[in-house]
Structure formats: structure tokens, C-alpha cells
């Protein structure tokens, strides 16, 4: 097993199977394109359990993804993908960069939900891109673009329902996709690090905005969401 890639929050290792990787969820938590990084106790474990639960749910909902099995409290085996270097963002409620860019009020309901592509490039602060740029620069093919959009909206429908049953609002989220053997899979992770979740009644923030805005109780909020969704996380690592 050797280290293949260290990202801001996860590390990827090769395994005996050349088609599979070990994905380790670390406690590192970053904001503002990696400008601020802190270690939050238990976060790696909570996100690994959270992600495993969501990926298995999405598989049942017909969305192919890279998750194979959970290997340890803080690590899972995933299918090795050739990642497409764009982030797919779906929004149900206006927040974050949408409000900053367009001057719209935070909390505004977006119906139908919106879709945006961003280039995955911290040095350039993940600029917004579109289909034409993605094709011109060969980041993805036309069919892959269509499939990423279709899967992103399908993830939204599935998770909006799941979260709503737990009294939670899925405000927005970011997905990353990749290809293996000519097939597109959802990769990376789905956890409160990469989405916005509010309590449906109180609108309490239960996601990484607690870290960005230095509100405290970050991992406790992630665990509250996990508990409400029925994700089983051990008390002690
Ligand atoms: P970042 O690169 O944004 O700092 P992470 O710390 O989450 O983020 O690192 C995970 C990296 O692994 C990301 O670059 C992501 O695109 C990549 N990745 C996620 N899933 C897979 C996969 N199944 N195969 C190969 N690379 C993956
Ligand atoms: N997001 C992410 N990684 C990024 C950028 C965004 O996971 O590099 C997530 C973010 O947590 C939020 C959604 O994508 O759930 C939309 O983010 P937005 O464009 O509003 O940017 P931000 O306000 O986070 O700068």
C-alpha cells in the first residue's frame, strides 16, 4: 500500500487491487480554498460513516458510485477513477457564493433547483465554468457533461427526500465524478463538508458553514445530522 494522493481532507492509497483505492478521511478541515486548516477531533470518522451511508443509499437509488466497502472507522475502499476536474453544484436554497455573485438574498427558495460547474483549482479559487469551456479544454466529453447533470439532479431528488424525512433541508451540495472502464461514477464524498444542511424548523446550520463562520460545534452538528438520518457511528474511535 502506498500513498497516491494527499488532498485537503482525504488521503488516497493504492491497494493490492489496481482497480481499487483506500480512501482515508482525515480530521483536517479546510476553508477558503485551503487558506484555513484545522484538525477537528472525530471528523474523519464521522465523515467516513456518513459518506458510506449516503453512497450505499445512492447506489440503491440507481446512481453508480465509487464506494465499495468500509474498511476502518476512518477509511473506505473505493473504485479508482480518472477524475473529471470539475465540481458539480446543485442548489435548492440560495446561500454562499450564489448570494455573493448574484446579490440574491440568502434563504431564497430555488425552484427548479440550479446547477453550476466549477473548475477544481484552488489556486484560481475554483472559477465557474460552462459546458463549452469543459469541452474546449477536454476536461470532459459532451455525454459525460449530460450524465453529470442528470446524476446530480437525481442525487438531489433522492437526498432531498431522505433529509426531509429527518426534518432537514438540503440547501446545496457539491459532487465530483470520474470515469473507469468507459463508465461514469460519482466519486469523492458526500458529507457535511461538501453540502449545506439546515434544520427544517429552526434553520440551524448543521454543516461546514459552522467552521467557515467560526460558529463552533462543527463535528457535533455533523453527528446530529448523522443521528437523525440513522447513520450508526461508534461513540469512541
Ligand atoms: P481536495 O483534492 O479537494 O483537497 P480531498 O482531500 O477530498 O480534496 O482529496 C480527495 C481527492 O481524491 C480529490 O482530488 C478527488 O478528486 C480525488 N478522488 C476522489 N475519489 C476518487 C476516486 N475514486 N479515484 C481517484 N481519485 C478520487
Ligand atoms: N463546495 C465544496 N467544495 C468547494 C466549493 C463548494 O464542497 O470547493 C460546496 C459547499 O460546501 C456548498 C456548495 O458546494 O455546500 C456550494 O458552495 P458555494 O458555491 O456556495 O461556495 P462557498 O460559499 O462554499 O464558497
Amino acid at each position: 500500500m502506498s500513498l497516491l494522493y494527499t488532498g485537503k481532507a482525504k488521503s488516497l492509497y493504492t491497494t493490492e487491487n489496481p482497480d481499487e483505492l483506500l480512501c482515508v478521511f482525515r480530521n483536517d478541515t479546510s476553508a477558503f480554498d485551503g487558506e484555513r486548516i484545522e484538525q477537528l477531533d472525530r471528523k474523519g470518522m464521522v465523515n467516513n460513516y456518513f459518506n458510506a451511508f449516503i453512497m450505499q443509499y445512492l447506489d440503491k437509488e440507481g446512481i453508480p458510485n465509487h464506494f465499495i466497502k468500509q474498511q476502518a472507522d476512518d477509511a473506505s475502499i473505493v473504485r479508482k477513477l480518472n477524475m473529471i476536474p470539475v465540481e458539480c453544484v446543485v442548489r435548492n436554497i440560495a446561500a454562499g457564493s450564489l448570494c455573493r455573485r448574484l446579490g440574491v438574498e440568502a434563504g431564497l427558495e430555488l425552484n427548479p433547483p440550479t446547477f453550476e460547474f466549477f473548475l477544481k483549482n484552488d489556486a484560481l479559487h475554483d472559477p465557474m465554468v460552462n459546458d463549452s469551456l469543459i469541452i474546449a479544454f477536454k476536461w470532459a466529453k459532451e455525454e459525460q457533461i449530460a450524465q453529470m447533470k442528470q446524476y446530480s439532479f437525481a442525487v438531489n431528488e433522492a437526498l432531498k427526500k431522505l433529509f426531509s424525512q429527518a426534518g432537514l433541508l438540503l440547501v446545496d451540495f457539491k459532487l465530483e465524478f470520474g470515469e473507469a472502464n468507459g463508465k461514469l461514477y460519482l466519486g469523492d464524498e458526500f458529507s457535511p463538508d461538501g453540502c449545506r444542511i439546515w434544520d427544517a424548523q429552526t434553520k440551524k446550520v448543521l454543516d461546514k458553514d459552522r467552521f467557515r463562520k467560526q460558529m463552533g460545534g462543527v463535528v457535533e452538528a455533523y453527528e446530529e445530522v448523522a443521528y437523525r438520518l440513522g447513520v450508526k457511528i461508534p461513540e469512541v474511535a
Side-chain angles (χ1 to χ4, degrees):
M1 211 173 73
S2 64
L3 181 64
L4 186 68
Y5 178 79
T6 308
K8 295 189 292 296
K10 302 191 288 301
S11 301
L12 297 176
Y13 295 84
T14 58
T15 65
E16 288 109 67
N17 185 335
D19 298 329
E20 297 179 359
L21 297 174
L22 181 73
C23 178
V24 177
F25 289 74
R26 307 195 314 272
N27 286 341
D28 294 311
T29 312
S30 71
F32 314 118
D33 303 313
E35 267 173 44
R36 184 152 71 85
I37 299 180
E38 279 173 38
Q39 278 76 45
L40 300 180
D41 199 29
R42 286 175 64 84
K43 199 216 51 162
M45 178 174 87
V46 169
N47 277 2
N48 183 45
Y49 276 89
F50 197 106
N51 177 68
F53 178 90
I54 297 287
M55 289 291 177
Q56 288 171 96
Y57 180 80
L58 292 177
D59 184 61
K60 286 200 206 100
E61 293 286 311
I63 294 136
N65 66 71
H66 70 161
F67 180 83
I68 296 174
K69 64 173 183 185
Q70 206 174 319
Q71 182 79 349
D73 276 341
D74 64 349
S76 292
I77 299 284
V78 299
R79 184 188 296 272
K80 182 178 184 176
L81 302 178
N82 297 310
M83 296 303 289
I84 294 173
V86 299
E87 301 186 338
C88 300
V89 171
V90 175
R91 301 177 197 266
N92 297 304
I93 298 173
S97 78
L98 186 81
C99 300
R100 294 197 296 275
R101 258 181 296 126
L102 304 182
V104 294
E105 197 187 324
L108 186 77
E109 195 189 336
L110 303 168
N111 191 10
T114 63
F115 180 91
E116 293 145 79
F117 280 124
F118 296 93
L119 178 65
K120 205 173 147 60
N121 186 320
D122 284 337
L124 298 176
H125 302 294
D126 294 351
M128 194 177 187
V129 292
N130 61 22
D131 302 28
S132 162
L133 291 168
I134 293 172
I135 289 167
F137 291 107
K138 299 189 169 47
W139 293 320
K141 299 192 191 85
E142 206 161 346
E143 314 83 76
Q144 293 175 319
I145 292 175
Q147 220 166 25
M148 287 194 285
K149 286 184 197 171
Q150 190 207 319
Y151 285 157
S152 296
F153 283 122
V155 167
N156 189 43
E157 289 313 309
L159 296 188
K160 231 176 15 180
K161 206 163 67 195
L162 181 76
F163 280 61
S164 139
Q165 286 160 0
L168 300 164
L169 289 175
L170 180 58
V171 174
D172 59 30
F173 59 87
K174 180 268 297 178
L175 302 177
E176 292 180 32
F177 293 87
E179 169 275 325
N181 305 315
K183 197 176 155 184
L184 190 80
Y185 294 88
L186 170 62
D188 203 48
E189 71 178 279
F190 193 103
S191 78
D193 265 0
C195 66
R196 288 192 169 94
I197 305 160
W198 297 347
D199 178 274
Q201 298 295 316
T202 64
K203 306 287 187 293
K204 180 183 173 189
V205 171
L206 297 167
D207 56 67
K208 205 198 211 174
D209 269 351
R210 298 196 73 85
F211 177 74
R212 295 188 187 98
K213 298 179 180 173
Q214 300 188 286
M215 297 162 81
V218 180
V219 180
E220 290 79 358
Y222 290 19
E223 287 187 279
E224 182 180 335
V225 176
Y227 176 77
R228 285 165 68 169
L229 291 174
V231 185
K232 302 268 181 298
I233 302 172
E235 284 298 318
V236 183

